[in-house]
Amino acid sequence: MKKEIINFPHWLQGKFIILVGLMGAGKTKLGRIVSSTLDLPFIDTDSEIEKAAGYTIQEIFDEYGEKYFREGEGRVINRILSEKPAVVATGGGSYMNAEIRNEMNKNGIVIWLRADLDLLVKRTQNRTGRPLLNTGDTKTILSQLIEERYPVYAGAELIVDVKDEPAAKTANRIIELLINHKPKEI
Ligand code: S3P
């Protein structure tokens, strides 16, 4: 069957579609669906970091610490944003860095995938590979991160509420929002 590709608005051409949000919000899964629907490449920043480093995110945190990870994350995201437009799923902490945030806002349309605590806990609880969640109780850590990060994520140009629903449904809401959006600069 032929895949249906949506014609996306003119203002979006040449721009990145950048997904931000906490761990468990579904950035990677939703990003893949959105990219395939819009016929754009898909890039996951964590995977790019792992490729560049030759280590997993967990190994980078364990061997070199978070500061080192954040430096590498910044370099990789800057490199991605200098290349061909794509749908980009970011690591949850990257938008907290003011310089990276500016670059993302400048080069793309940033979409915050907003999810509530219970959903994030449900989706991350039994998964490994997220060093920030390995240091204590998942619910307590995520609730602290919500407090710190949600006021900053709120600066995203678009916000989509992620619910406990099939990913395809959430992806459709993202695409609808993009199609109906009037960008700030127009
Ligand atoms: C992090 C989120 C992770 C990964 C790293 C740090 C964060 O990515 O970049 O473990 O600070 O929120 P996901 O949001 O894709 O899980």
Side-chain angles (χ1 to χ4, degrees), residues 16-159:
F16 287 83
I17 296 170
I18 302 169
L19 304 180
V20 304
L22 267 185
M23 295 168 273
K27 300 178 297 277
T28 303
K29 196 171 200 175
L30 293 167
R32 277 189 202 288
I33 302 174
V34 170
S35 74
S36 139
T37 311
L38 297 178
D39 203 25
L40 283 171
F42 172 72
I43 301 172
D44 179 80
T45 64
D46 283 343
S47 304
E48 290 297 306
I49 294 165
E50 291 184 333
K51 255 193 261 165
Y55 289 102
T56 64
I57 304 288
Q58 183 70 57
E59 285 165 344
I60 301 171
F61 268 73
D62 290 347
E63 297 287 321
Y64 303 100
E66 182 172 353
K67 186 167 177 285
Y68 183 85
F69 168 76
R70 296 293 172 204
E71 286 162 7
E73 181 175 51
R75 280 195 300 276
V76 166
I77 292 178
N78 277 331
R79 193 251 302 151
I80 291 168
L81 294 178
S82 73
E83 292 171 0
K84 231 173 87 197
V87 176
V88 181
T90 65
S94 57
Y95 199 65
M96 298 304 291
N97 175 308
E99 276 174 39
I100 303 179
R101 187 160 66 244
N102 282 342
E103 286 305 308
M104 289 188 197
N105 291 334
K106 202 167 78 192
N107 291 290
I109 174 110
V110 178
I111 306 176
W112 171 22
L113 301 180
R114 181 169 61 188
D116 68 25
L117 179 60
D118 287 345
L119 184 60
L120 296 174
V121 172
K122 182 177 164 190
R123 289 184 174 177
T124 54
Q125 216 160 27
N126 299 315
R127 299 264 181 94
T128 52
R130 286 191 167 113
L132 291 187
L133 299 181
N134 293 344
T135 55
D137 172 59
T138 304
K139 190 166 188 173
T140 310
I141 296 169
L142 283 170
S143 107
Q144 277 162 1
L145 290 173
I146 283 179
E147 234 175 83
E148 280 166 34
R149 293 183 179 179
Y150 276 20
V152 178
Y153 291 159
E157 193 160 341
L158 291 176
I159 301 173

